[in-house]
Amino acid sequence: MTRFTVVIPLYNKRPHIERAINSVLAQTVAPDEIMIVDDGSCDGSYEFVRGLDDKRIRLHRRDRPGPGGYAARNFGIAHATGAWIAFLDADDAWLPHHLETIEKTLSMSDRPDQLVCVGTGYHSIYPGGRKELDIYSRRRPGAGPEFLDFRGMLSTWLEVGGSPIWTSAIACRRDALLEAGLFPAGRCTRGGDKDLWLRIAQSGVTAINPTVSAHLMAIDLPAI
């Protein structure tokens, strides 16, 4: 089985972090560790996580927040023990089959040693509960995963009109992240995730599976 480390950056997300963590604990393929990196929360987020009783949770605290959570994610990657890093923002959530979908996608590749990144489909959840399917999955309803080299990744990006992968619905090989230079902490405040996806795509094959396994939820909704 694939060894997954989940990395969650945390800064003042007390209304959401419980839902995010519960969605990780409910995975049909369990992660080896859950790395939560707090950027000096002052709303009780840190204290809530510190009170959780699960030996897989590793809570770290940095002294000050960093834009976009980039530095917090980099810290998590640097201290992770898993071969694959699955990212989840503190105000988003996974469906129970998220890591299972990624693991199955990995097993379908005829070039497993070249795979550096796996993305899945997701829904954006808006006030009132309206769901919107991501732009990549809308173009390929019911299709299986694609395995894209760098040229294919760029072509797909242009075809769908935006990034075909998203931070809370992605897992990357840890050594490929380190080789690509990690998130651009201190160099930008927005778009740093897309910058990294393009850099990592240059080093191997990116798989995109349109199976929906994550929810982007920047609002306070009941647990899924």
Side-chain angles (χ1 to χ4, degrees), residues 13 15-16 19-20 23 88-95 122-127 129-131 166 168 214-224:
K13 296 291 184 180
H16 312 286
R19 179 183 60 217
S23 78
L88 178 63
D89 285 351
D91 51 6
D92 298 325
W94 291 339
L95 297 174
Y122 62 92
H123 278 126
S124 297
I125 311 296
Y126 294 95
R130 180 175 66 86
K131 294 181 180 180
W166 166 64
S168 286
H215 284 171
L216 186 161
M217 299 190 297
I219 55 175
D220 193 14
L221 294 176
I224 55 174

Side-chain angles (χ1 to χ4, degrees), residues 5-20:
T5 292
V6 179
V7 171
I8 304 176
L10 176 62
Y11 179 63
N12 287 346
K13 296 291 184 180
R14 181 61 187 89
H16 312 286
I17 185 60
E18 182 174 4
R19 179 183 60 217

Side-chain angles (χ1 to χ4, degrees), residues 127-149:
R130 180 175 66 86
K131 294 181 180 180
E132 183 175 280
L133 188 61
D134 68 274
I135 56 176
Y136 175 85
S137 301
R138 271 180 261 160
R139 300 289 186 99
R140 305 187 74 245
E146 280 191 299
F147 297 88
L148 306 169
D149 59 14

